[in-house]
Amino acid sequence: MTHSRRDAIKLGAIGIGAAAAPLAAVPGSARLPNILWLVSEDNNPYIGAYGDKVAHTPHIDSLAKKGILYRNSYSDAPVCAPSRFAILTGINPESCSPAQHMRADAKLPSQFKTYPELMRQAGYYCINNPKTDYNCDVDPKAIWDVQGIDGHWRNAPKDKPFLCVFNTGTSHEQHVCQRDAGRVKPEDVRIPAFLPDTETTRRDYAEYYNIMENMDGEIGNWLSQLKNDGLDEDTIVFYYGDNGGVLPRSKRYCYEEGLRVPLIVYIPPKWQHLAPARPGSVIDAPVTLIDLPATLLSIAGIAQPAQMTGTALAGHRIGAPKSYAFGFRDRMDERYDLVRTVTDGRWRYIRNYMPHRALGQHVGFEWDVQASYREWNALHLAGKLTDEQDRFFQPKAFEELYDLQADPDEVNNLIDHPAGLTAARRLRTALDRHMLAINDNGFLPEGAKGEGYFESRDRSIYPLKRLMLVAAAAARRDPRNLKRFATLLDSPVVAVRTWAARGLLILGEDARPAKDALARVVASDPADPVRIVAAEALVGLGEPVEAVALLARLADEDNMLPIRIQAYDALSNIGRAAIPALPVIRKAANAQLRRFIDPEYPKRMAMYLVATLEGSYDPTQEGLSPQACQNATKSPNMFMGPPPSAAWES
């Protein structure tokens, strides 16, 4: 039976206050329950309990039978570090830039507390084993009682309840590079309509199902330990994935396979008064992982701080069911994009603010670890894909709308279809309201003045409503906005000038009347992000000399990393016009990096760019060597956190 919530929601939505404060005691709760979080990486619900007939996940299935399964659960971002920032802080990453970018070092305001700090104040002994990857400047050792591979509830004081987080890296994306025989065979899997149905793709899918079975065994081992220690009936157990899966068009992309995650909560009979529904229930209302810290605080009996935007799913005060789950994409490793999305569980609406960029931009690590990406790319270059399969490598529509019931592969865009008009209107409005409510920072160029939770609320630096209008106008590719964009190139606001220049870039040849204005920006604008976008636009209008020279100079090693990435991004998208920059590009491609000290994104971009400009690029020649793959799969926590902040400076 499906329940959207327990028949009577307890006490309404969780209170929002300026600081954590105790709630009224609940009769019968003499002490607090233990809490165990079991976290898997990079996986959709390839799980039997979610209806997957191919999956073999008996331990997670068993947990679901006696727990509560959230059918429409989503990560806030389709990648780990921004998603983990949201879970740690309860703050939308895109409202505390640069936390929304993959692999960054955002500054968490000192007055904001993370959930382990608040839970420790409530009396919990807090353990994290081992992954952090919080995408911000929080010191993990300062917020946890125990941080690292030695953390276990068995080492917790007996006079305190514990909050113990175990992370398994078994399903992380680098493991798909291995080739191990398992229960699931290539002929057993279904290949979605957007992918070519090849032996390579089938092998990757089968490999991933078998990885999921291995991960399920780890979950079962932890649950057995809990039972053997006599703690299973005094411990609330959460199992969830930190972001969507890694198979093609999953991780890093704002479709169901990039954002949808498993979430199962088991609440023992002793603590059923904290549950939102009866054991064995399925909750269909959409939830996101940003609801998790609110849920912990509600279980502990303390109110969530004002900056936390989630809704408690269980505890003393359970929030009313939500109508929508929101998601986003900004920079993913070395590639920039700006995507915002919302779903109600039936429909998914996607807004692409940078539709001139291909959906499937080349991401070095993505291509390295997964053979099906490399083969997909090779078939594209050979012209052997159907239109549906080739869409991944093409510029995007400004808006997308999918009926998830009729079209689970999300290939039939209904944005202009009569059947989708009502849903599109409703979801557009919901997304706009959400972006304004959280103060979405996505329109601010990375590295520009105004980054940060409070800084971005200065409307003289970041006029969000105005920027949303300008960015939407840019993405619509309407030549009637030409004069508007040209005028806005003189705005005193860096972000406005950036989006005005991007509007002209997206217009392409239709922007020719603004060529002189763009040349002026390239020559004299004080903000490098504006100059980079204008330079790319100017190259498209046949004026490459000064523009390419600027991009080469900004891509060189003396500039801040975000500026270098933005310059390389532009160079990657101007085709053979980038050839004069080859000396700089080759220098970066041949650079010897010191791991965890030197940033690797410029080198990745430069290596790819050299190959494409010299005509030698062959995606089938990419990929980890067998030894490198073996080393990667033996190191499930090889990506535990952001690079040192020094890597983001000159």
Side-chain angles (χ1 to χ4, degrees), residues 42-47 52 54-56 171 173 175-213 245-251 253 255-258 369-373 375-376 392 408-411:
D42 296 356
N43 59 282
N44 299 117
Y46 282 64
I47 292 169
D52 194 312
V54 179
H56 186 74
S171 52
E173 71 181 309
H175 290 265
V176 185
C177 72
Q178 65 195 38
R179 284 290 182 254
D180 295 332
R183 182 189 306 266
V184 177
K185 308 302 181 186
E187 60 269 22
D188 299 332
V189 303
R190 187 190 78 87
I191 302 302
F194 56 83
L195 279 175
D197 189 344
T198 67
E199 180 182 354
T200 298
T201 303
R202 285 186 168 274
R203 288 179 67 190
D204 277 353
Y205 268 75
E207 183 71 45
Y208 198 70
Y209 271 106
N210 293 324
I211 287 170
M212 288 291 292
E213 180 175 354
V246 301
L247 294 166
R249 210 195 71 169
S250 295
K251 186 176 182 179
Y253 304 98
Y255 297 97
E256 287 289 289
E257 58 268 21
V369 300
Q370 199 161 157
S372 48
Y373 268 118
E375 183 186 57
W376 197 8
F392 182 73
D409 291 343
E410 295 165 282
V411 295

Side-chain angles (χ1 to χ4, degrees), residues 350-426:
I350 300 172
R351 187 180 294 163
N352 296 299
Y353 284 102
M354 296 175 65
H356 59 304
R357 293 293 191 244
L359 175 63
Q361 300 181 72
H362 181 275
V363 175
F365 189 72
E366 192 172 310
W367 262 243
D368 275 348
V369 300
Q370 199 161 157
S372 48
Y373 268 118
R374 301 192 294 273
E375 183 186 57
W376 197 8
N377 195 175
L379 292 172
H380 157 70
L381 294 174
K384 295 182 178 180
L385 296 174
T386 67
D387 289 345
E388 199 169 68
Q389 296 163 356
D390 200 54
R391 195 176 303 156
F392 182 73
F393 299 97
Q394 303 301 327
K396 305 179 289 291
F398 170 46
E399 295 179 295
E400 301 172 64
L401 179 71
Y402 300 102
D403 180 345
L404 301 176
Q405 289 184 5
D407 178 26
D409 291 343
E410 295 165 282
V411 295
N412 185 20
N413 185 2
L414 299 178
I415 194 64
D416 295 320
H417 194 283
L421 292 180
T422 300
R425 188 180 304 114
R426 175 171 53 85

Side-chain angles (χ1 to χ4, degrees), residues 60-71:
I60 297 174
D61 297 348
S62 178
L63 187 69
K65 286 181 181 178
K66 63 180 183 179
I68 300 163
L69 183 147
Y70 292 84
R71 188 180 304 281

Side-chain angles (χ1 to χ4, degrees), residues 108-113:
L108 185 68
S110 59
Q111 60 268 54
F112 292 169
K113 300 300 181 185

